[in-house]
Amino acid sequence: MTANTATSEENLLGQSGQPQEPSTPTSETEIGGGTPTELSEIFFVDNSRRKHSIKIQVKLCPEGVYLRRETDADDHINEQLIRIDDIIGSRYGPRLKKRARGGLNSCRNPNVPGQEAEPEPDSDNSAYLYIYAYLKKEKPLRRVQTLRILRFRSSNDYGVNLQTAELWHHTIRKHKRGDDSCSPADSGKQLLILLNPKSGSGKGRELFQKQVAPLLTEAEAQYELQITTHPQYAKEFVRTRKDLLERYSGIVVASGDGLFYEVLNGLMERMDWRKACRMLPLGIIPCGSGNGLAKSVAHHCNEPYEPKPILHATLTCIAGKSTPMDVVRVELAPRDKHFVMYSFLSVGWGLIADIDIESERLRSIGAQRFTLWAIKRLITLRTYKGRVSYLLAKNPKNVEVAKEAREIPLEEKRPSLATVRSSLPINTGEFRDLPDEDGELDADEFADAISMDRSVYRQHADSWHSAMSRRTAYYSFGGPSLRSNRSRLSVSQRIEAANAEFAEKVPTGTIPGLQVPLQGTEGWVCEDGDFVMVHAAYTTHLSSDVFFAPESRLDDGLIYLVIIRSGVSRHQLLNFMLSLNTGTHLPIGEDPFIKVVPCRAFRIEPNSSDGILVVDGERVDYGPIQAEVMPGLVNVMTTSGQ
């Protein structure tokens, strides 16, 4: 039997140093399926330099792999516990030949027959167990790659030795599942990985092949890799894939925050958006330039980010755990239009938004473009006239109540086909191409009607609501269901029912519409004047080096609104910008010019028609904008559960 570390290979022998009669490892209480909860074996390491052997007891238990080392020369004992959380996977079989890591074919499972050519057993019929772990270390916070190899050769029969290695392998899998995690290897489904090949300065494929694929192989994770070919590819793929929930265990974005934004909004445009958000956790691997979410998730989990952000984020995505994350519903009304989108990072108006967008012309110089443009903006400081309104968070501790209110079972939330909104001015012309020869639609045509041109409905969904309220009213047709009254319903009536059914599935806000004045509305605070910047954040980091909202949590149900008013000195602004990477930019006490407001919703109403608005780092049409937090709407992949 042998063991090995990540840095050196140590040959371990059986107690006698020779193959022994078939035996089974020492085990204790068994769990479901006959797999024991604990396994234990004694291994020996030959140490040629010290001319004596080292005895190692290896014990596999629910807490992890425990190694106890003792030499024959003295009574010195070393102990180590590899925590089950730090083990990402294992594999068993003949000895593996050393080969280059990576390759896009790494999604294959080496333990599935026929997927990979198995090496021949050793001449002494040994079987091997490879245990892959990434140990978490403190001061500095980091992950240390560790490999332990156990060599089983207690029998002259290779099949018996292989059974022993297989038992250890499956016991590790059992303990991983018992840790309240559902790793990709155990879900029975694939991970959907969306990769932007142009991310990482055009090295997205190379980064994935060298840094992500090897970890997926070690974790035995089955995955499907989709390479994006054009803008909105990810959004359309997620929105239109019919077997999304049945085929995939989660969605991982290997790019920057922009591709994650596409995936989120694609999910929210699905008819089954609520179920999809609940069943499909979302992960992020920072292969792009804007990596605020990846850094925020690492901060939430107390996981390292630098110096290997891709490796650390991949470990998070294969940990098999998830945490609810807030989503912010954003409404815009530029030039008499109306749009709804969903945000996970921030909304910005003013200084930071200007620097972010206007510095694009200096993209060729890298991250230094932000510093240079920040200096330019401080010299030629702009102010924007308008109104900022916000709905104060009365009691942040009551966020759980809001979450419970959102978590209405799907079957209770979905109305029957006989229920429609009485206050919705439906434009039946949207379905003008539907067949209407006999004035009726059959069941298949009715289903198609709901799914046609969904982007049109999504864009104008809120225009169906009363201008004075976001709440809905209903009335019912006579009879138990629409289908039972088909002969009495015209095509237009059936189309209205289809539109109403879809509108109900779209998540709606609870705050007044953009057309409704907020002055005098209970709980709202309105401020008029000239502003240098208004920036709303709901994650800790806007990018990997901007620690913008230190108090934020992934699922606290809060938006942190930072307001900087006109009159602030350039010196104070310079200190503000220089302190963003440490999170010390916000004033401790009262400040006449800079303040941070925890709120549940906000509205920005610029007085001019010229300026920059950004949502999750992307520029949007300039005009009135408002946003409302939807607590815990999606789940993100983390290393710790809820």
Side-chain angles (χ1 to χ4, degrees):
M1 304 179 186
T2 67
N4 189 11
T5 68
T7 56
S8 63
E9 186 170 320
E10 305 169 5
N11 296 316
L12 300 187
L13 306 177
Q15 287 186 353
S16 64
Q18 300 294 332
Q20 302 168 8
E21 292 300 317
S23 63
T24 58
T26 304
S27 62
E28 296 187 8
T29 308
E30 295 186 347
I31 52 181
T35 304
T37 58
E38 293 187 0
L39 296 172
S40 181
E41 285 272 9
I42 299 295
F43 298 84
F44 286 87
V45 179
D46 277 343
N47 192 322
S48 57
R49 289 179 299 176
R50 297 185 180 181
K51 298 182 179 181
H52 60 77
S53 61
I54 301 174
K55 182 173 72 174
I56 300 180
Q57 179 184 11
V58 181
K59 182 178 181 181
L60 174 59
C61 56
E63 291 76 25
V65 177
Y66 173 78
L67 299 97
R68 188 174 186 271
R69 176 180 300 197
E70 180 179 356
T71 64
D72 293 340
D74 52 51
D75 295 330
H76 183 67
I77 297 176
N78 291 326
E79 297 180 343
Q80 180 190 26
L81 174 65
I82 303 177
R83 296 172 58 250
I84 198 69
D85 282 344
D86 294 340
I87 298 174
I88 67 168
S90 63
R91 65 162 296 168
Y92 63 94
R95 186 180 185 87
L96 294 179
K97 295 181 180 179
K98 292 183 179 180
R99 56 186 175 87
R101 300 183 69 191
L104 291 180
N105 61 348
S106 296
C107 59
R108 299 183 177 185
N109 186 344
N111 286 327
V112 176
Q115 285 201 354
E116 184 174 297
E118 291 289 348
E120 294 295 327
D122 285 355
S123 57
D124 62 355
N125 293 316
S126 298
Y128 293 82
L129 176 72
Y130 294 79
I131 302 175
Y132 304 101
Y134 291 79
L135 307 183
K136 189 174 183 179
K137 303 290 185 179
E138 305 286 344
K139 298 180 181 180
L141 186 63
R142 64 196 188 281
R143 288 279 182 177
V144 178
Q145 182 182 0
T146 303
L147 173 63
R148 292 289 183 265
I149 305 176
L150 303 183
R151 180 183 179 188
F152 297 91
R153 61 170 194 170
S154 59
S155 171
N156 288 318
D157 186 344
Y158 171 73
V160 174
N161 295 330
L162 185 65
Q163 287 179 359
T164 304
E166 182 181 8
L167 178 62
W168 281 67
H169 169 79
H170 288 300
T171 304
I172 291 174
R173 294 273 292 268
K174 285 279 188 179
H175 291 335
K176 291 287 290 181
R177 288 196 296 268
D179 193 42
D180 296 326
S181 64
C182 182
S183 67
D186 296 319
S187 65
K189 300 179 181 180
Q190 292 180 315
L191 277 177
L192 170 61
I193 301 179
L194 293 159
L195 171 66
N196 179 5
K198 295 184 179 180
S199 61
S201 301
K203 297 181 179 179
R205 288 175 183 264
E206 181 181 350
L207 292 173
F208 180 86
Q209 179 178 348
K210 290 184 176 181
Q211 300 187 45
V212 180
L215 269 68
L216 296 172
T217 300
E218 292 173 357
E220 303 175 271
Q222 301 295 302
Y223 63 90
E224 179 182 313
L225 180 63
Q226 288 286 334
I227 308 294
T228 62
T229 57
H230 55 270
Q232 304 302 313
Y233 176 95
K235 180 179 179 180
E236 288 304 307
F237 185 92
V238 170
R239 183 179 70 84
T240 59
R241 187 68 182 248
K242 293 182 179 180
D243 61 347
L244 192 73
L245 274 63
E246 293 75 20
R247 185 179 181 89
Y248 304 113
S249 61
I251 303 175
V252 175
V253 172
S255 183
D257 293 329
L259 198 64
F260 192 93
Y261 171 85
E262 284 191 30
V263 170
L264 173 62
N265 281 271
L267 284 177
M268 298 306 295
E269 290 186 12
R270 291 178 61 91
M271 297 293 287
D272 58 353
W273 66 270
R274 188 183 299 274
K275 186 177 181 181
C277 290
R278 185 173 63 247
M279 293 182 59
L280 291 175
L282 307 179
I284 180 80
I285 297 175
C287 296
S289 56
N291 300 315
L293 180 60
K295 178 68 173 182
S296 297
V297 170
H299 180 79
H300 170 86
C301 301
N302 190 32
E303 288 289 337
Y305 184 79
E306 299 291 355
K308 299 179 179 180
I310 294 179
L311 180 143
H312 296 140
T314 304
L315 291 175
T316 298
C317 291
I318 59 180
K321 298 181 180 179
S322 62
T323 297
M325 184 178 76
D326 300 337
V327 171
V328 169
R329 182 178 179 275
V330 180
E331 296 181 57
L332 303 96
R335 295 182 292 275
D336 298 326
K337 298 179 182 178
H338 190 270
F339 303 97
V340 175
M341 60 186 64
Y342 297 90
S343 166
F344 62 92
L345 197 66
S346 66
V347 173
W349 177 46
L351 182 62
I352 291 181
D354 292 348
I355 295 171
D356 191 14
I357 300 302
E358 293 176 351
S359 65
E360 285 284 339
R361 66 192 70 178
L362 303 178
R363 177 174 286 273
S364 60
I365 68 173
Q368 291 181 345
R369 66 186 176 98
F370 297 109
T371 303
L372 293 177
W373 210 262
I375 295 173
K376 175 180 172 60
R377 272 289 145 257
L378 287 175
I379 295 174
T380 58
L381 192 60
R382 296 173 182 165
T383 60
Y384 297 89
K385 185 180 292 293
R387 171 178 293 172
V388 177
S389 308
Y390 45 87
L391 179 61
L392 291 172
K394 295 182 179 179
N395 185 3
K397 294 182 180 180
N398 288 337
V399 172
E400 293 298 326
V401 177
K403 288 183 183 179
E404 292 176 4
R406 296 276 183 190
E407 291 300 321
I408 302 174
L410 184 62
E411 57 273 11
E412 297 179 19
K413 188 70 175 177
R414 181 184 296 125
S416 67
L417 292 178
T419 306
V420 296
R421 296 178 186 238
S422 61
S423 61
L424 303 182
I426 308 297
N427 179 7
T428 58
E430 313 253 42
F431 285 108
R432 58 185 178 278
D433 295 329
L434 290 179
D436 57 355
E437 295 178 357
D438 58 355
E440 293 185 345
L441 297 172
D442 61 26
D444 292 336
E445 292 169 339
F446 184 75
D448 291 340
I450 297 178
S451 62
M452 281 187 59
D453 199 8
R454 192 173 296 147
S455 61
V456 175
Y457 306 137
R458 192 66 207 92
Q459 178 174 335
H460 300 290
D462 282 33
S463 64
W464 299 341
H465 292 270
S466 165
M468 298 300 296
S469 174
R470 279 293 178 271
R471 303 186 183 280
T472 50
Y474 306 96
Y475 70 90
S476 299
F477 286 106
S481 69
L482 183 62
R483 177 174 293 182
S484 64
N485 290 275
R486 287 182 57 191
S487 59
R488 287 182 283 169
L489 297 180
S490 66
V491 173
S492 62
Q493 287 175 308
R494 294 169 63 77
I495 291 173
E496 287 187 10
N499 276 310
E501 173 75 2
F502 177 75
E504 171 57 22
K505 292 174 181 293
V506 174
T508 58
T510 61
I511 60 177
L514 271 170
Q515 306 85 359
V516 181
L518 293 175
Q519 282 186 317
T521 304
E522 182 181 359
W524 283 86
V525 177
C526 301
E527 298 185 14
D528 294 281
D530 294 327
F531 301 91
V532 172
M533 184 190 83
V534 178
H535 214 94
Y538 10 103
T539 56
T540 54
H541 291 75
L542 298 185
S543 65
S544 60
D545 58 351
V546 177
F547 193 14
F548 192 78
E551 299 299 321
S552 179
R553 300 294 179 268
L554 291 179
D555 61 341
D556 57 7
L558 295 175
I559 298 171
Y560 288 85
L561 191 66
V562 177
I563 302 173
I564 302 181
R565 300 188 69 96
S566 176
V568 63
S569 69
R570 286 177 171 80
H571 179 265
Q572 188 176 5
L573 271 180
L574 179 61
N575 288 333
F576 178 90
M577 301 297 290
L578 293 176
S579 302
L580 281 172
N581 64 332
T582 60
T584 57
H585 55 291
L586 299 175
I588 298 177
E590 293 290 332
D591 188 287
F593 302 110
I594 302 177
K595 69 176 179 180
V596 56
V597 181
C599 60
R600 293 195 297 111
F602 69 90
R603 179 187 293 181
I604 298 173
E605 299 171 277
N607 284 357
S608 66
S609 58
D610 184 23
I612 294 176
L613 279 172
V614 295
V615 176
D616 293 350
E618 300 294 328
R619 188 172 187 174
V620 297
D621 290 340
Y622 195 70
I625 184 172
Q626 70 178 19
E628 176 186 8
V629 67
M630 306 180 75
L633 189 65
V634 299
N635 293 308
V636 290
M637 298 176 184
T638 57
T639 56
S640 56
Q642 302 181 16

